[in-house]
Amino acid sequence: MSGIYIHIPFCKQACHYCDFHFSTSLKKKDEMVLALAKEIQMRKSEFQNEIVETIYFGGGTPSILQIADLKFLIDEVYRNYKVVENPEITVEANPDDLTEKRIIELSKNKVNRLSIGIQSFFEDDLKLMNRAHNLEEAKKCLEIATQYFDNISIDLIYGVPEMSNEKWLQNIETALSFGVPHISSYALTVEPKTALHSFIQKGIIPQPDDEVAQEHFQILVDKLSENGFIHYELSNFGKEKYFSKNNSSYWLGKKYIGIGPSAHSYDGKNRGWNVSNNSLYIKSIQENKLPIEIETLTKTDRYNEYIMTGLRTIWGVSLHRIEQEFGKTYLDYLNQQAAKFIEDHLLFVDDNILRTTKKGKFLSDGIASDLFLLNL
Ligand code: SF4
């Protein structure tokens, strides 16, 4: 089973913390939709023997497109690929685009999952982040969306400067009050060259505090588990049967094709990434050339990736798989590197699977990097 990711590289305005690829000029929107459709066609041979299980519109802001454009792109996937009977089709959407009319229109299409960028239920946080929506739009869109869609995920950001634990808990409780079955939650990170970075440099906004973020993370984990959510990936919590199939397939190392500027692809051996520039992307596709760079992963790259994703997920790292797929040298190295984290109660082994403890979860990326091997 495999997935198709389609990147919609447009946003109404730039959120202060964001370093994804997008443009706030919509001038090339129609040309882009045609180019995306053409790339879908051009790459069909890559999935000749695959069945598409998930289609995911990410961004940028996919909800900025007309519903007819989304439908056109979904139809293009169906025209060119074998698709399972009930694929998961997700559209990332921002609250300001989700009017009742648009939600109803979306629900009448093949789209069956919404991932809504709420980020916070507090007006001051939304302003600090420079989100295009306000609190009223966030609440209203959730009230309506939950009537038409059963499978909804919302994004929330923690570790925002001056966000108290009480305020963060209130955010989570408000999210829960809408009965959504999936929540993705990330710590606010300060990426270079973002407006947030520059505000922090100038002292306009205080630096997010790692300890506060860690406290928020524990509050999140406890509150969501009390409410029946399964913490299946570091930043993702879902009720049973509501894990994101699209994201799980990345973490489980399945194949995917990434369509659109800056989109990444993976075929089990090679990783590819499209050019992160809308004009260059369109021009290249119009000239029948895929604007993609490809790198073949070494055995060590694949080992490192498995460690990173395994420690972030409930599936953990299978020591048996490490030995089978990578060999005894890799297994010995992993056991040796993991020993100190096991002693510090940050990792544990159960049934030959290496996993993070509750205490180790928040630190899983850092721990993983200590278990990595370098390409020699
Ligand atoms: S809407 Fe999403 S992609 Fe666009 S700027 Fe904001 S965070 Fe980035």
Side-chain angles (χ1 to χ4, degrees):
M1 293 288 187
S2 326
I4 295 193
Y5 171 85
I6 304 173
H7 190 82
I8 308 300
F10 301 107
C11 292
K12 276 190 196 157
Q13 64 187 50
C15 300
H16 285 159
Y17 55 87
C18 180
D19 75 339
F20 293 149
H21 171 67
F22 66 91
S23 162
T24 49
S25 160
L26 301 183
K27 270 194 295 198
K28 292 187 190 286
K29 189 159 68 98
D30 293 345
E31 273 181 281
M32 179 62 72
V33 171
L34 291 175
L36 294 171
K38 190 165 166 193
E39 191 188 356
I40 291 171
Q41 288 168 29
M42 286 166 77
R43 297 184 66 181
K44 66 178 173 189
S45 62
E46 293 175 34
F47 266 15
Q48 235 165 15
N49 302 317
E50 299 291 330
I51 298 178
V52 173
E53 195 187 15
T54 62
I55 303 170
Y56 190 99
F57 289 90
T61 310
S63 56
I64 220 167
L65 291 189
Q66 303 296 318
I67 311 283
D69 290 334
L70 292 169
K71 183 176 179 314
F72 169 64
L73 293 170
I74 294 170
D75 289 346
E76 209 53 40
V77 173
Y78 273 81
R79 262 197 290 278
N80 291 282
Y81 298 77
K82 284 180 229 110
V83 181
V84 285
E85 200 174 328
N86 286 309
E88 176 188 273
I89 305 184
T90 307
V91 171
E92 286 182 359
N94 280 342
D96 43 309
D97 293 325
L98 289 181
T99 57
E100 179 157 20
K101 186 163 170 265
R102 297 199 89 212
I103 292 171
I104 294 173
E105 256 187 275
L106 269 173
S107 72
K108 287 185 179 154
N109 274 285
K110 290 197 169 78
V111 176
N112 50 27
R113 184 169 183 271
L114 292 181
S115 171
I116 307 178
I118 299 288
Q119 316 309 352
S120 175
F121 289 101
F122 288 91
E123 209 74 79
D124 55 339
D125 293 338
L126 296 173
K127 288 216 172 84
L128 181 142
M129 297 177 198
N130 200 37
R131 297 290 302 176
H133 67 275
N134 58 32
L135 174 60
E136 199 190 318
E137 286 168 322
K139 288 187 164 176
K140 192 153 180 235
C141 94
L142 280 175
E143 268 161 30
I144 302 166
T146 45
Q147 292 170 35
Y148 293 92
F149 283 86
D150 143 67
N151 198 350
I152 295 180
S153 176
I154 66 175
D155 286 354
L156 291 177
I157 295 183
Y158 58 86
V160 175
E162 288 166 5
M163 179 188 267
S164 65
N165 289 353
E166 292 68 35
K167 189 176 170 189
W168 172 235
L169 184 61
Q170 234 177 300
N171 246 334
I172 305 169
E173 281 168 348
T174 310
L176 289 171
S177 70
F178 289 98
V180 292
H182 191 280
I183 293 179
S184 297
S185 190
Y186 305 89
L188 183 70
T189 45
V190 185
E191 304 293 349
K193 295 190 194 143
T194 57
L196 180 64
H197 183 256
S198 133
F199 292 147
I200 290 170
Q201 295 286 303
K202 290 179 188 149
I204 300 170
I205 294 177
Q207 175 87 34
D209 181 330
D210 272 357
E211 273 176 35
V212 172
Q214 191 161 356
E215 281 175 30
H216 287 181
F217 179 76
Q218 290 308 340
I219 292 170
L220 177 76
V221 171
D222 292 344
K223 190 75 195 168
L224 292 187
S225 79
E226 271 167 35
N227 283 274
F229 284 76
I230 301 160
H231 188 190
Y232 70 104
E233 197 269 345
L234 183 64
S235 310
N236 286 279
F237 303 78
K239 293 259 173 89
E240 224 177 288
K241 302 201 185 112
Y242 286 95
F243 295 2
S244 160
K245 285 190 192 156
N246 174 75
N247 295 355
S248 301
S249 66
Y250 298 154
W251 303 318
L252 294 171
K254 295 187 186 172
K255 296 179 185 179
Y256 56 90
I257 289 181
I259 303 288
S262 82
H264 284 222
S265 303
Y266 178 64
D267 69 2
K269 289 194 185 108
N270 304 293
R271 184 165 299 293
W273 57 96
N274 285 355
V275 65
S276 293
N277 177 301
N278 289 2
S279 303
L280 292 179
Y281 170 80
I282 292 171
K283 184 165 176 285
S284 176
I285 294 286
Q286 284 171 345
E287 291 168 354
N288 297 315
K289 285 186 279 197
L290 288 175
I292 191 166
E293 268 187 68
I294 293 173
E295 156 191 80
T296 301
L297 298 182
T298 63
K299 190 165 149 183
T300 302
D301 290 335
R302 285 189 289 108
Y303 161 87
N304 289 345
E305 245 174 66
Y306 179 46
I307 297 290
M308 172 69 105
T309 52
L311 289 190
R312 290 179 64 110
T313 63
I314 49 164
W315 301 291
V317 174
S318 157
L319 299 180
H320 176 70
R321 178 174 159 191
I322 293 283
E323 186 166 19
Q324 291 297 303
E325 203 175 318
F326 302 99
K328 185 145 184 346
T329 318
Y330 283 76
L331 180 65
D332 289 345
Y333 175 80
L334 176 58
N335 280 329
Q336 180 198 322
Q337 291 298 105
K340 60 176 180 292
F341 295 108
I342 293 174
E343 221 177 275
D344 291 343
H345 305 288
L346 296 170
L347 292 177
F348 69 104
V349 177
D350 179 33
D351 209 10
N352 221 21
I353 308 278
L354 181 69
R355 290 192 174 87
T356 48
T357 59
K358 190 177 175 210
K359 190 173 144 204
K361 199 144 269 178
F362 185 75
L363 307 170
S364 59
D365 287 352
I367 297 172
S369 64
D370 271 8
L371 309 182
F372 286 173
L373 261 163
L374 296 177
N375 274 318
L376 299 173

